[in-house]
């Protein structure tokens, strides 16, 4: 018979839309065909199709390895699997240029709708309807494939909340609440719409340069196959693969608060693009994240801002009458560049934005209306880690024969060299060289403020939030 879920779709959605702390759902996806999506299976389905991998160094520096400092290669999953499993005799393609002991590889933000566009039936292997989102499948989901050490720099997503299904291998998540934002030294360089990065390398923080990080509270969890992690809105997260091969699937769930967030993002984009585009391009500052198509013009950014403001007020009007809002703020002139990175390749036209917004179904329940969160073996809290603990302490929770680790990890602040290393992007094996960015060294005394120093203050989330409020008040008048 059909698997019995611990929570109904309605109850699960109620939890997802109301819970303001990270938690892990267990025993919710046992009948999903997507649980068979290991790399070997996906390789057979893709039949030699190449995808882009991001490669970074396994050495842990004091500076985060942003996407602007990584190498990129196009390779098949067969080539990735041979490389990640240590089969040198089977190596072919671009991975032969990279020593597995020194590098990790990550095929991240791979939109299932794009890579399986000729096999649409596979979308149904992912059933977010079990979480209360009918009609949401693999078409609105993203695939992540990594090797041991692959990581995503610490950041928060400006829009929505996040559901992450682990399929193969394990990933360790370091999560920080929104209230810790100032302790994480937010920055918009490298810039991409919808992501605010932290200057702190969570794996090896530079406490001399970022002393307030000591005041942050990390919630650490190791996600195992078959488990689904809920990341609430605006929770910071640093993610690392801890097994030789990992596969994950995620989907971002839109929230009503995204309408105001889009106004803030439009203001940020206008300021960053205007100021950074005015700099001499020969300075070599890789300020635009590879996921952003281009530095859009001031005119187009102004159109984007006006559309975001218009969508915000339409949401206000329709919320009074209880009608669903059809929100599409991407200016036609900007095409892909205007859309949120997390769903850019799903489809950026008005139709797709409308679909994602209308999926919300019933309104978000108020806190006082929500029953006590049913924590237990099927819904596990991600607990805060203690900064005072000097050794790792793990408590295992049994779930379907797999372990979920709640970890209290002591701070480990190794003193590695403090200069950032940048990988040169090239397909030539001889050019996996390094360059040193002098402006990233905390040991170098700076006597003059840079453009990035100004931007860090000008587009700080607190400042942008205030500017957005003032702007919306002006429009109300």
């Amino acid at each position: 018979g059909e698997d019995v879920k611990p929570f109904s779709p309605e109850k699960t959605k109620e939890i997802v839309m109301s819970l303001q702390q990270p938690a892990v759902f267990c025993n919710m996806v046992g009948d999903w065909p997507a649980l068979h999506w290991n790399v070997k299976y996906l390789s057979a389905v893709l039949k030699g199709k190449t995808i882009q991998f991001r490669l970074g160094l396994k050495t842990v520096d004091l500076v985060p390895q942003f996407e602007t400092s990584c190498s990129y290669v196009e390779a098949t999953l067969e080539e990735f699997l041979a490389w990640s499993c240590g089969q040198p005799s089977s190596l072919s393609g671009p991975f032969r240029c990279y020593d597995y002991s020194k590098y990790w590889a990550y095929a991240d933000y791979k939109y299932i709708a794009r890579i399986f566009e000729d096999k649409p039936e596979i979308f149904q292997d992912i059933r977010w309807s079990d979480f209360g989102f009918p009609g949401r499948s693999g078409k609105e989901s993203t695939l992540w494939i990594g090797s041991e050490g692959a990581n995503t720099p610490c950041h928060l997503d400006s829009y929505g909340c996040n559901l992450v299904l682990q399929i193969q291998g394990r990933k360790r998540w370091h999560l920080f609440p929104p209230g810790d934002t100032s302790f994480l030294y937010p920055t918009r360089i490298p810039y991409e719409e919808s992501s605010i990065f932290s200057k702190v390398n969570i794996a090896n923080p530079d406490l001399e340069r970022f002393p307030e990080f000591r005041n942050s509270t990390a919630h650490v969890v190791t996600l195992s196959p078959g488990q689904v992690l809920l990341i609430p809105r605006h929770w910071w997260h640093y993610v690392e693969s801890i097994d030789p091969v990992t596969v994950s699937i995620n989907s971002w769930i839109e929230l009503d608060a995204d309408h105001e967030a889009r106004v803030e993002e439009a203001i940020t984009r206008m300021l960053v693009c205007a100021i950074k585009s005015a700099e001499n391009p020969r300075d070599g500052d890789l300020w635009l994240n590879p996921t952003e198509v281009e530095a859009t013009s001031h005119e187009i950014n102004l159109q984007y801002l006006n559309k975001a403001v218009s969508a915000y007020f339409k949401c206000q009007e329709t919320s009074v009458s209880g009608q669903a809002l059809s929100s599409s703020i991407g200016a036609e002139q900007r095409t892909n560049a205007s859309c949120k990175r997390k769903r850019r390749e799903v489809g950026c036209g008005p139709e797709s934005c409308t679909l994602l917004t209308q999926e919300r179904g019933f309104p978000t329940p108020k806190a006082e209306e929500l029953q006590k969160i049913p924590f237990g073996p099927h819904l596990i809290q991600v607990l805060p880690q203690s900064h005072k603990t000097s050794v790792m302490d793990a408590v295992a929770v049994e779930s379907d024969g797999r372990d979920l680790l709640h970890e209290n990890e002591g701070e480990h602040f190794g003193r590695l060299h403090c200069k950032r290393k940048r990988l040169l992007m090239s397909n030539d094996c001889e050019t996996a060289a390094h360059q040193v960015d002098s402006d990233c060294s905390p040991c170098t005394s700076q006597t003059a403020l840079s453009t990035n120093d100004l931007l860090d203050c000008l587009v700080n989330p607190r400042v942008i939030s205030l500017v957005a409020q003032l702007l919306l008040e002006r429009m109300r008048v």
Side-chain angles (χ1 to χ4, degrees):
E2 187 175 343
D3 286 355
V4 177
K5 313 289 183 182
F7 307 113
S8 68
E10 294 76 20
K11 183 61 179 180
T12 308
K13 183 171 184 177
E14 188 177 316
I15 295 170
V16 168
M17 302 298 278
S18 303
L19 189 56
Q20 297 302 309
Q21 68 179 89
V24 175
F25 288 92
C26 302
N27 309 311
M28 284 291 295
V29 297
D31 58 344
W32 287 23
L35 286 184
H36 302 295
W37 283 27
N38 57 38
V39 173
K40 187 174 181 180
Y41 169 81
L42 293 173
S43 176
V45 173
L46 290 175
K47 298 179 180 178
K49 184 176 182 179
T50 61
I51 57 178
Q52 187 182 72
F53 288 85
R54 173 165 58 98
L55 291 107
L57 284 170
K58 287 185 176 180
T59 55
V60 182
D61 207 340
L62 289 173
V63 180
Q65 285 194 65
F66 292 119
E67 293 169 57
T68 51
S69 63
C70 291
S71 296
Y72 294 84
V73 300
E74 293 281 340
T76 66
L77 286 182
E78 291 94 335
E79 293 167 340
F80 166 76
L81 196 58
W83 178 77
S84 61
C85 293
Q87 302 173 10
S89 61
S90 304
L91 285 184
S92 61
F95 280 115
R96 71 183 187 280
C97 303
Y98 298 90
D99 186 343
Y100 177 76
S101 66
K102 297 179 181 179
Y103 293 91
W104 50 258
Y106 212 178
D108 52 359
Y109 295 103
K110 295 298 176 282
Y111 285 85
I112 293 171
R114 171 70 60 86
I115 61 176
F116 297 112
E117 57 188 353
D118 58 337
K119 298 177 176 63
E121 66 278 1
I122 205 170
F123 300 158
Q124 304 310 313
D125 286 3
I126 302 164
R127 304 169 180 173
W128 295 115
S129 57
D130 286 344
F131 285 76
F133 301 97
R136 183 175 289 248
S137 65
K139 191 175 182 181
E140 295 82 27
S141 305
T142 310
L143 181 67
W144 308 68
I145 302 172
S147 67
E148 184 177 0
N151 63 82
T152 301
C154 187
H155 68 284
L156 69 79
D157 301 319
S158 303
Y159 307 142
C161 62
N162 194 0
L163 289 172
V164 184
L165 165 64
Q166 192 64 27
I167 294 177
Q168 181 177 4
R170 295 168 300 155
K171 278 185 174 178
R172 182 171 292 126
W173 291 73
H174 302 246
L175 302 116
F176 301 85
D180 283 2
T181 293
S182 62
F183 305 146
L184 290 161
Y185 298 84
T187 182
R188 296 312 298 259
I189 305 296
Y191 171 76
E192 71 171 37
E193 182 182 349
S194 84
S195 291
I196 302 174
F197 291 101
S198 169
K199 290 183 177 181
V200 182
N201 185 351
I202 304 303
N204 187 34
D206 184 348
L207 293 180
E208 291 184 4
R209 192 177 180 192
F210 308 116
E212 290 297 312
F213 180 68
R214 291 186 179 93
N215 298 320
S216 66
T217 303
H219 296 237
V220 183
V221 62
T222 297
L223 200 64
S224 296
Q227 297 169 339
V228 176
L229 173 65
L230 165 65
I231 306 167
R233 182 175 187 263
H234 286 182
W235 272 71
W236 293 83
H237 44 285
Y238 167 79
V239 192
E240 57 181 337
S241 297
I242 59 175
D243 283 328
V245 176
T246 62
V247 177
S248 307
I249 291 174
N250 87 294
S251 191
W252 281 271
I253 309 299
E254 275 206 354
L255 303 171
D256 286 333
D258 292 347
H259 295 288
E260 185 170 342
R262 288 193 186 94
V263 176
E264 297 177 0
E265 284 296 293
I267 295 170
T268 300
R269 186 180 193 94
M270 175 174 284
L271 293 173
V272 173
C273 287
I275 292 177
K276 295 301 291 184
S277 297
E279 283 190 323
N280 188 336
R282 289 177 293 182
D283 290 344
D285 181 14
L286 300 178
W287 65 273
L288 195 66
N289 216 42
T291 52
E292 285 292 326
V293 178
E294 61 181 350
T296 43
S297 69
H298 181 78
E299 179 182 3
I300 289 177
N301 290 336
L302 184 59
Q303 293 176 12
Y304 182 34
L305 175 59
N306 277 287
K307 287 181 179 291
V309 171
S310 176
Y312 172 84
F313 283 111
K314 286 182 180 178
C315 178
Q316 297 293 305
E317 295 170 1
T318 55
S319 64
V320 173
S321 61
Q323 298 176 2
L325 169 67
S326 173
S327 167
S328 174
I329 63 166
E332 292 181 4
Q333 296 93 328
R334 292 185 58 198
T335 61
N336 287 358
S338 69
C339 290
K340 176 183 174 185
R341 170 169 93 160
K342 280 73 180 179
R343 64 167 187 264
R344 173 172 292 138
E345 297 181 26
V346 172
C348 301
E351 298 81 3
S352 63
C353 294
T354 300
L355 170 65
L356 290 172
T357 304
Q358 290 180 335
E359 275 183 355
R360 289 174 302 190
F362 55 80
T364 304
K366 295 180 180 179
E368 60 269 20
E369 298 173 353
L370 182 64
Q371 296 179 2
K372 184 177 179 182
I373 299 296
F375 291 119
H378 306 299
L379 181 67
I380 305 172
Q381 300 181 67
V382 179
L383 302 174
Q385 95 175 2
S386 171
H387 280 280
K388 299 178 181 178
T389 307
S390 59
V391 294
M392 180 182 294
D393 179 29
V395 180
V397 180
E398 195 72 18
S399 174
D400 283 339
R402 304 181 180 94
D403 288 337
L404 171 69
L405 302 182
H406 291 284
E407 300 169 356
N408 294 321
E409 298 181 355
E411 295 176 292
H412 175 64
F413 305 125
R415 288 299 172 186
L416 300 180
H417 57 89
C418 55
K419 295 181 180 179
R420 168 194 269 179
K421 294 181 177 180
R422 172 167 294 161
L423 296 177
L424 298 178
M425 293 172 59
S426 171
N427 290 326
D428 187 347
C429 297
E430 299 300 322
T431 58
H434 302 92
Q435 289 182 334
V436 175
D437 283 351
S438 60
D439 64 334
C440 291
S441 172
C443 304
T444 303
S445 61
Q446 293 185 344
T447 57
L449 290 173
S450 67
T451 302
N452 290 353
D453 292 326
L454 172 63
L455 279 173
D456 280 340
C457 298
L458 191 61
V459 297
N460 182 283
R462 289 178 296 171
V463 176
I464 291 297
S465 178
L466 176 60
V467 173
Q469 290 297 323
L470 293 172
L471 188 64
L472 292 171
E473 288 175 12
R474 175 183 293 267
M475 293 300 296
R476 288 190 183 95
V477 175

